[in-house]
Amino acid sequence: MNIVLVDDEQVILDGLGKMISHLNRNWQVCAAFTDAEEALNSCDWDQVQVLLVDISMPGMNGLNLVEMLRENSFDTLVIFVTAHANFSYAQRGAHMQMFDYLLKPISTDELQKVLRRAEEASQKNLQVRESQEYIRQNLHVLRKHFLSDYMFEERLISAEELKQRKKDYALENMRYSVALLQSTLPRKIVKEKLSSVLKTHQWMLYGQENSYSLLLLGQQSLDLSFLTSCIPVPEGCWRIAPEWLCLEQLPDAFQNLLISGSSTAIPDDRMENLLHSEMEISSSVRMAIQYIQEHYQQPLSLGQIAEAVYLHPTYLSNLFKKQTGYAVVDYINMVRVQHAKTLLADPRNRIYWIVEQVGFSNQRYFSAVFKKNTGLTPMQYRCRC
């Protein structure tokens, strides 16, 4: 059973992790976070059975985190942690399908009891998910998760599973279109705008902020040019697949859209030699390259790098592209991918952990960038190591 811990106090996380490791060898703390927003964007929530989360935290609190999980159709079992015996959040938590709650300080016995019940519930949920009645009642959610796995290539899907899921989820006669949207609009507003024009169509929206992926399902083709009027420039920038597709074409279509919005990847040998190149590369660009190589694990922005090398961001961007042939963001991603390849060679390193170690904000974006630069998904690369 995979467990994620979220609490703004590191000492609480350390204590819970130690207790769980001694209670049951089948219970694994796969990630622990002091920041709820980081947890939301960093975990592969399809693979998480239980979330232990503190309610009161700065920034995004525990209730907000669970609201986002439910909005994205994740059914992770939630155990709230609180220091207040008079649990005033219980009613709101019940609306979000709270499994249980624990009072601080948490005793080993109480933790063991609630996790045992959570494990039993998780196993029952797994059995129920495969039933036809469950599929009928939750068809949209099941389709959304499966199509996400398949289109973004977040895991390896065998031909047998693909055939079975197409049958189970009534996808055999569907046609698909995929579009990418770059927008600073909040996700809620994006959904409202799309809902107003896609009333008669099945659609799914992926992504949390700035970068969204829209997938449409249908049995007849539809002219999607109206999307650009639904969220026009400067509110958004669209890239839309030119034709309707069969399911098997979705991964390549998504990658082609992704690549069409960015410059060509840097070859490995070129990237590694840029710093020591005999080319006419100015000291400022060399400083920028070195800064990226030393800080790739941290969030990086053009403005931050420009400040470090004492240049205006726009000037640095143009200078870097002119002298190296590549955009700053492409070089950052290539450095991160190179380090990720090294970490993927060790099967003990879980992918969600690698994502965090190499500086990507979430696993979905990491997978897309990794395939763009290597031609393989992280899982496929690992299998070849």
Side-chain angles (χ1 to χ4, degrees):
M1 181 170 68
N2 291 331
I3 303 170
V4 167
L5 309 177
V6 182
D7 195 298
D8 61 320
E9 297 183 62
Q10 187 64 49
V11 65
I12 299 293
L13 293 178
D14 294 340
L16 283 173
K18 288 180 181 178
M19 281 195 287
I20 292 172
S21 66
H22 289 98
L23 288 176
N24 191 316
R25 64 181 180 181
N26 293 322
W27 297 348
Q28 179 176 10
V29 176
C30 56
F33 302 92
T34 56
D35 183 271
E37 188 170 0
E38 182 184 1
L40 175 66
N41 293 323
S42 300
C43 289
D44 182 2
W45 289 102
D46 280 319
Q47 305 302 318
V48 178
Q49 284 74 51
V50 177
L51 166 65
L52 270 77
V53 57
D54 187 16
I55 292 177
S56 301
M57 291 183 288
M60 177 184 284
N61 63 33
L63 290 167
N64 299 145
L65 169 59
V66 177
E67 283 178 341
M68 290 301 298
L69 291 178
R70 298 303 183 234
E71 182 179 338
N72 285 277
S73 305
F74 293 110
D75 58 0
T76 306
L77 298 176
V78 174
I79 301 169
F80 283 122
V81 178
T82 178
H84 306 287
N86 183 17
F87 187 32
S88 59
Y89 301 95
Q91 185 175 7
R92 188 175 172 192
H95 288 304
M96 293 181 290
Q97 303 169 349
M98 175 189 71
F99 181 74
D100 208 334
Y101 71 94
L102 291 168
L103 293 175
K104 296 179 180 179
I106 301 171
S107 71
T108 302
D109 288 343
E110 289 300 316
L111 180 62
Q112 185 173 40
K113 288 177 183 177
V114 74
L115 288 180
R116 278 178 177 172
R117 292 193 299 104
E119 184 175 41
E120 293 173 0
S122 179
Q123 291 172 347
K124 289 179 181 178
N125 289 344
L126 182 61
Q127 295 172 356
V128 170
R129 286 192 193 105
E130 300 303 320
S131 70
Q132 289 301 312
E133 180 62 18
Y134 180 86
I135 291 175
R136 185 185 68 79
Q137 293 180 0
N138 299 276
L139 182 59
H140 180 78
V141 173
L142 292 170
R143 278 178 168 178
K144 183 173 183 178
H145 284 305
F146 173 71
L147 291 170
S148 170
D149 284 346
Y150 189 70
M151 181 169 71
F152 302 120
E153 297 182 299
E154 293 184 337
R155 64 182 179 88
L156 294 177
I157 296 177
S158 67
E160 293 76 12
E161 181 184 357
L162 177 61
K163 181 179 179 180
Q164 186 63 46
R165 295 309 180 199
K166 287 173 67 174
K167 180 179 179 182
D168 291 342
Y169 302 158
L171 298 172
E172 294 170 304
N173 297 318
M174 288 289 183
R175 304 290 289 175
Y176 304 85
S177 185
V178 61
L180 300 186
L181 169 66
Q182 298 289 329
S183 176
T184 56
L185 293 176
R187 190 175 195 274
K188 181 180 179 181
I189 301 300
V190 171
K191 287 186 68 176
E192 289 175 354
K193 287 179 175 287
L194 292 174
S195 296
S196 67
V197 297
L198 292 173
K199 297 176 181 178
T200 61
H201 231 70
Q202 299 181 60
W203 57 279
M204 296 159 185
L205 183 68
Y206 302 96
Q208 295 295 335
E209 55 180 329
N210 298 326
S211 182
Y212 303 94
S213 303
L214 173 67
L215 178 65
L216 292 98
L217 290 70
Q219 295 177 325
Q220 295 181 345
S221 297
L222 177 69
D223 182 2
L224 299 180
S225 59
F226 66 87
L227 290 175
T228 56
S229 60
C230 168
I231 304 179
V233 176
E235 289 184 328
C237 176
W238 286 96
R239 296 200 299 278
I240 304 171
E243 58 185 359
W244 282 70
L245 313 159
C246 64
L247 181 59
E248 288 76 6
Q249 293 173 304
L250 272 181
D252 286 340
F254 172 74
Q255 292 297 329
N256 288 337
L257 282 181
L258 192 71
I259 293 171
S260 70
S262 59
S263 55
T264 307
I266 307 172
D268 291 355
D269 55 349
R270 174 77 184 278
M271 184 200 73
E272 293 172 354
N273 294 329
L274 273 179
L275 195 59
H276 308 288
S277 173
E278 296 300 324
M279 297 168 56
E280 294 184 3
I281 296 180
S282 65
S283 60
S284 295
V285 171
R286 291 181 185 276
M287 287 171 61
I289 291 172
Q290 186 165 352
Y291 185 87
I292 292 168
Q293 291 178 344
E294 292 175 353
H295 297 85
Y296 71 91
Q297 293 176 297
Q298 306 166 13
L300 285 175
S301 67
L302 177 61
Q304 177 185 347
I305 299 168
E307 183 179 356
V309 300
Y310 311 107
L311 292 178
H312 188 279
T314 302
Y315 181 74
L316 173 62
S317 177
N318 294 334
L319 187 66
F320 196 100
K321 182 72 179 288
K322 180 179 179 180
Q323 294 189 1
T324 69
Y326 304 102
V328 173
V329 67
D330 288 327
Y331 184 79
I332 294 172
N333 283 337
M334 279 305 303
V335 170
R336 289 170 170 169
V337 166
Q338 281 296 99
H339 287 280
K341 287 162 69 175
T342 301
L343 294 174
L344 282 165
D346 187 341
R348 295 172 298 179
N349 294 332
R350 294 182 173 271
I351 290 180
Y352 71 82
W353 178 83
I354 294 174
V355 171
E356 178 182 346
Q357 294 302 305
V358 299
F360 282 98
S361 59
N362 62 74
Q363 186 168 337
R364 183 166 293 158
Y365 181 59
F366 165 70
S367 297
V369 171
F370 192 93
K371 183 166 186 185
K372 171 193 166 185
N373 286 287
T374 67
L376 301 170
T377 66
M379 286 295 293
Q380 289 171 334
Y381 182 86
R382 165 163 280 174
C383 290
R384 290 193 176 189
C385 290

